[in-house]
Amino acid sequence: MRPGSVRAYFFAFAAERGGAIKDQRVRVNDQIRISPIRLINSDGTQVGIVSLDEARSRAYDAGLDLVEVAPNARPPVCRLMDYGKYKYQEARRAREAKKKQHTMQVKEVKYRPGIEDHDYEFKTRHVRRFLTDGDKVKVTMMFRGRQLAHPELGLVVLERVLADVDDVAKIEGQPSREGRTMIMVLAPLGGR
């Protein structure tokens, strides 16, 4: 068995079974069928067009894997590389990229038209914290019973919220009434 072929088999098997390693059907070593191929050395220099058997023997001699990098080209382009090391580095790069990205979420804070001062301040602090964390905030004004007859009272509270957080937020969705609720969407100013 050639060096590295067990690794290549493992990665191909894990990808077929839906394992942690996502493989995009890359052909490695004995999986490559088309001959001749264009061969690229492990250092990136082009060897040229060689037969498949010669490319496999070069890979075996170097202790590396023969990996098909451009299957749609004619002839297909293959490269000599340590496939296990390559997959590990790709997975590591993906983890680092995922760690650095921030997905913006939409947080919701609910108010009522007759809200007391302490409750208002408490909820508005949450709105401010969500916005400084880089998330959007959906401010919902909920009406009940006779409050539905006076939507202007809810609008006053929403305008007060906007005035209190205008240094960290911009309005993305103007207050709109939907049944028993009035909704306003705020987005962070700077964005992350």
Side-chain angles (χ1 to χ4, degrees):
M1 187 174 271
R2 292 189 173 96
S5 61
V6 171
R7 273 191 305 239
Y9 176 77
F10 169 76
F11 285 110
F13 178 79
E16 286 176 8
R17 297 287 181 231
I21 300 157
K22 299 292 183 205
D23 197 7
Q24 287 136 1
R25 303 286 181 198
V26 175
R27 292 188 190 104
V28 182
N29 294 332
D30 296 329
Q31 298 171 347
I32 301 170
R33 299 278 181 224
I34 299 173
S35 183
I37 61 169
R38 184 176 304 276
L39 185 63
I40 299 174
N41 253 340
S42 59
D43 59 359
T45 60
Q46 195 172 129
V47 175
I49 297 175
V50 297
S51 71
L52 187 57
D53 293 331
E54 183 182 342
R56 285 182 181 153
S57 66
R58 283 182 186 228
Y60 178 74
D61 292 341
L64 298 172
D65 297 312
L66 183 64
V67 181
E68 192 174 46
V69 292
N72 295 332
R74 290 295 165 241
V77 180
C78 296
R79 183 178 181 145
L80 297 176
M81 67 170 72
D82 186 351
Y83 189 62
K85 183 177 178 182
Y86 168 76
K87 290 303 289 180
Y88 171 75
Q89 288 171 343
E90 286 293 312
R92 198 165 132 200
R93 233 177 269 128
R95 276 195 308 272
E96 289 296 320
K98 188 176 181 183
K99 198 182 294 183
K100 291 178 183 173
Q101 87 182 33
H102 174 77
T103 55
M104 184 177 285
Q105 295 179 342
V106 178
K107 305 282 189 167
E108 183 176 17
V109 179
K110 296 180 179 182
Y111 289 88
R112 294 213 177 264
I115 191 166
E116 294 293 324
D117 287 338
H118 174 71
D119 293 336
Y120 170 81
E121 291 165 6
F122 183 82
K123 290 181 182 220
T124 306
R125 273 197 305 271
H126 281 342
V127 170
R128 178 176 291 279
R129 189 182 78 218
F130 295 148
L131 289 166
T132 54
D133 286 346
D135 296 323
K136 289 184 181 180
V137 179
K138 177 177 158 185
V139 181
T140 305
M141 179 61 58
M142 298 185 312
F143 296 100
R144 203 189 300 172
R146 293 182 188 167
Q147 295 172 340
L148 285 167
H150 301 285
E152 65 277 358
L153 296 177
L155 197 58
V156 167
V157 175
L158 290 179
E159 288 171 354
R160 184 176 164 199
V161 170
L162 182 60
D164 288 346
V165 297
D166 67 343
D167 58 328
V168 293
K170 63 181 178 220
I171 191 161
E172 191 170 272
Q174 292 291 335
S176 63
R177 186 136 181 232
E178 299 173 10
R180 294 179 170 268
T181 61
M182 189 179 290
I183 297 170
M184 174 176 69
V185 179
L186 300 175
L189 272 181
R192 285 171 85 169

